[in-house]
Each structure stands twice: as structure tokens, then as C-alpha cells.
Amino acid sequence: MNKRPLGSNGPLVSEIGLGTWSFAGSYGPTDEAESHATLKTCLDLGIDFLDTANVYGMGISESVIASFMQNNPGEFTIATKGGIARDPETNRRYFRNDYDYLAEQLDKSLKRLNVDHVPLYYVHKREEDRDIEEVMDGMARLQKSGKIGHIGLCEVSPATLRRAHAVAPVAAVQSEYSLWTRYPDLGVIQTCKDLGIAFVPFSPLGRGIFASNAPDPSTFVKGDFRIGTTRFSEPAYAYNLKQVEGFKRLAAEMGTTAPTLAIAWCLGRGEHLLPIPGTRSSEHLIECANASDLKLTESDMAAIEQVLPVGWAWGDRYMPAQQPGAERYC
């Protein structure tokens, strides 16, 4: 597994990480044993970069990682997140980026992870009415305390990123990015490169549409994030699947699989990109990891663009209720 830096001053980590939202059941039921098997496969493959958050199963993902690390200490570079809150009476989601809340949630994450420090801590979603300069002042305080190594932001605009980076160095920006979600190409990826910041694509397999066996929305269980989204609802989903068939044929012609090619495409978009596919399956993880050995040429990248041109997907990636917290800038 090749390595890339988490920002210009960050640690070297595997260029393909693992997103662990699925450890908390976001895409169907799972258990600790299955998640531990996936983490063991990470070690076998040389994947040492894990991404989690305090709200993934309300701490379940962090706790599962901690229980695995009891017998495998020091094997992973862990990133976690804070900044999403819920009203205890209505269960309504909202965002808090004030120092007190981020510090409180960080302490809870550290306790669940059974560590006193995380290498990377993200502001998970932006609180729209709070100046990013104030948020970064608070994150810098956490960094100076020794509890976090580096600062990250999620789904922010290029303007917000530049303002934030002027206050304190941002090591990484995480946003959804894949062959069917190209929004970060409109400024964020370029800004990260200009400022020496790592760009961390989540859902690089399009929430499963680029898997070798694409999901069947009729089998989605309650709580699945994809239920109700336009891209996974008819007639859009049937259309999208048909477009992906051409990509799968191209992958076969290249002697690989669709998941491997989709991850390799992300890696080929810039040396500062570190995709974090999310899976709880060792078999699927191996397909993702194979992308580290697949070096795409300019003609390969052009062939992919021809099969799946920018904007080919039908439907929005989020329902309106899921959109707040992700900055729009174009």
C-alpha cells in the first residue's frame, strides 16, 4: 500500500483509508465481529488510516475501533469528528461549532477510543451563523492542548477554507467525491492543492453504485441513509445503473473491477487525494485496496471521462433535510 501525507505537515498514511460509518449500521445491520474482521484485513493490506465520528451510531463506531485496538495498539492513524448535535426532545439535528461543545465532544470521543490524542479532528458540519475564524480559534486551542494533532474541516467552500487556513493550518478537508459526485472539482480540490491540504473523498464508490454488485434499493432497511434520495429512487436509479454498466465494461477491458477502477480514478485526480471507502466487508475492502497498485494513464482517465462525463448522474446526492451543513458555493 502506497502512502500519502495528511497535508503538507501531516503524517504519512496509507493512500486509501477506511471509512467506518458502516460499522454503526448506516448501510444495514452489522456486528462487532464483522467490523473487527474488516479492521484485521486493513492491517493485512497495509491500510492504516481510519475515519470515524462521534455520531456514527452515537459512538458505536469509535467503540468498535477501540475494542479492536486493545490487541492492536498503535496500528492506526485515526481521524474523528465533532460538531453535530441533536435536540434531546425532538431528535432534530443541528450544528454546534463553539469551542465548549467541540471540546466536550472530543473528550467523549477520546474516552470511547481509549486514547488521549487523535492525529486528526474534523469539524463535521459547519454552523452557518458562526464565523469560521472563531471556530478555528477554538480548534487551535484543542491542538495546543495536545489532544489533537491536526485540524480538519468537512464539506466547506473554497472561500471558507481559505479564511480558516489563514487562522490556523488546516491539514485535511473531507467531502463526498466520486465519479457521480464531482462538486469538489469546482474549487475545493484545487484550493486544497494550492494550500498544501489533503483532500479526503468519502463515498468514493458512490454509496455502493460502483460496487461489483450494485445495491437493490428495495432491500434497504430502516435507517439506511440512501432511502428517499433521488439517485436511489426510480426512475433515476435504473437510469444511473444503466450508465454504470458502461463503466463496468471498461473496467473489465482494463483487467480490473469497477470498485478498483473507481478508487484508482480518485487517486489519479491528484497526489493530495486520500479516498476513504466505507465497507464492513473484507472482500470489498480488498477490491478497494487493489487501486493502490493500479496506475492510470492520461488515456485511461480520458476513457473514464468519456464513459461517465461530468454531471452524468440523475438526481441530487442529498434530500433537502440532509443538505444543511454542507456548504454550497457555485
Side-chain angles (χ1 to χ4, degrees):
M1 174 63 63
N2 298 311
K3 291 183 177 287
R4 294 183 175 186
L6 265 177
S8 57
N9 297 312
L12 281 174
V13 297
S14 56
E15 65 180 359
I16 300 169
L18 176 68
T20 64
W21 192 23
S22 62
F23 286 9
S26 58
Y27 295 115
T30 187
D31 56 33
E32 187 175 75
E34 184 178 37
S35 298
H36 280 190
T38 303
L39 291 172
K40 175 59 169 60
T41 302
C42 280
L43 297 182
D44 294 341
L45 295 171
I47 294 174
D48 59 11
F49 180 34
L50 299 184
D51 181 88
T52 185
N54 63 336
V55 295
Y56 290 176
M58 303 310 294
I60 289 175
S61 174
E62 291 176 329
S63 297
V64 167
I65 291 170
S67 60
F68 181 82
M69 287 175 57
Q70 287 180 356
N71 297 318
N72 300 274
E75 298 284 357
F76 294 111
T77 297
I78 298 174
T80 193
K81 313 179 193 73
I84 298 178
R86 286 196 180 274
D87 185 302
E89 295 184 0
T90 65
N91 201 37
R92 181 183 64 87
R93 186 182 72 158
Y94 64 102
F95 310 117
R96 281 188 61 181
N97 293 172
D98 58 283
Y99 170 78
D100 289 342
Y101 185 73
L102 289 171
E104 172 194 333
Q105 295 304 305
L106 173 61
D107 285 342
K108 291 179 179 179
S109 288
L110 294 175
K111 184 175 182 180
R112 282 190 293 268
L113 289 165
N114 195 28
V115 296
D116 57 13
H117 165 96
V118 286
L120 178 62
Y121 189 50
Y122 289 100
V123 178
H124 200 165
K125 295 290 185 182
R126 280 276 286 117
E127 183 182 352
E128 185 176 1
D129 295 330
R130 190 177 300 276
D131 288 341
I132 192 63
E133 289 82 2
E134 178 190 339
V135 178
M136 289 300 293
D137 280 337
M139 293 291 280
R141 287 174 62 187
L142 293 176
Q143 191 175 37
K144 290 176 182 176
S145 75
K147 293 181 179 180
I148 69 175
H150 299 276
I151 298 169
L153 299 173
C154 295
E155 298 210 285
V156 295
S157 71
T160 293
L161 179 54
R162 290 187 182 278
R163 288 169 56 198
H165 196 66
V167 176
V170 177
V173 170
Q174 182 177 139
S175 291
E176 183 175 356
Y177 185 63
S178 69
L179 278 160
W180 80 342
T181 298
R182 300 284 295 273
Y183 206 66
D185 281 331
L186 299 177
V188 169
I189 289 178
Q190 297 91 326
T191 302
C192 285
K193 183 178 180 179
D194 290 345
L195 299 178
I197 297 170
F199 181 77
V200 180
F202 73 81
S203 297
L205 296 182
R207 303 190 187 280
I209 197 165
F210 295 112
S212 291
N213 295 306
D216 177 357
S218 68
T219 66
F220 291 167
V221 299
K222 183 179 179 180
D224 193 304
F225 182 87
R226 298 165 291 186
I227 294 175
T229 56
T230 308
R231 288 184 178 180
F232 285 95
S233 301
E234 297 301 346
Y237 189 58
Y239 171 87
N240 290 333
L241 276 181
K242 186 175 181 180
Q243 308 312 303
V244 172
E245 285 304 313
F247 179 73
K248 289 185 174 181
R249 288 193 294 271
L250 177 63
E253 291 169 6
M254 291 183 174
T256 188
T257 65
T260 301
L261 186 58
I263 301 292
W265 176 87
C266 277
L267 293 171
R269 297 295 291 173
E271 294 183 357
H272 60 303
L273 273 69
L274 296 91
I276 49 167
T279 182
R280 59 185 185 274
S281 162
S282 295
E283 180 182 354
H284 295 165
L285 185 60
I286 291 169
E287 280 192 291
C288 294
N290 287 340
S292 187
D293 295 323
L294 181 59
K295 305 305 177 188
L296 300 180
T297 65
E298 289 186 10
S299 61
D300 292 334
M301 297 291 280
I304 293 171
E305 292 282 346
Q306 187 170 4
V307 172
L308 295 179
V310 176
W312 65 270
W314 180 358
D316 203 346
R317 68 187 181 110
Y318 281 151
M319 292 186 293
Q322 297 166 333
Q323 180 62 46
E327 289 191 318
R328 289 175 169 170
Y329 50 89
C330 293

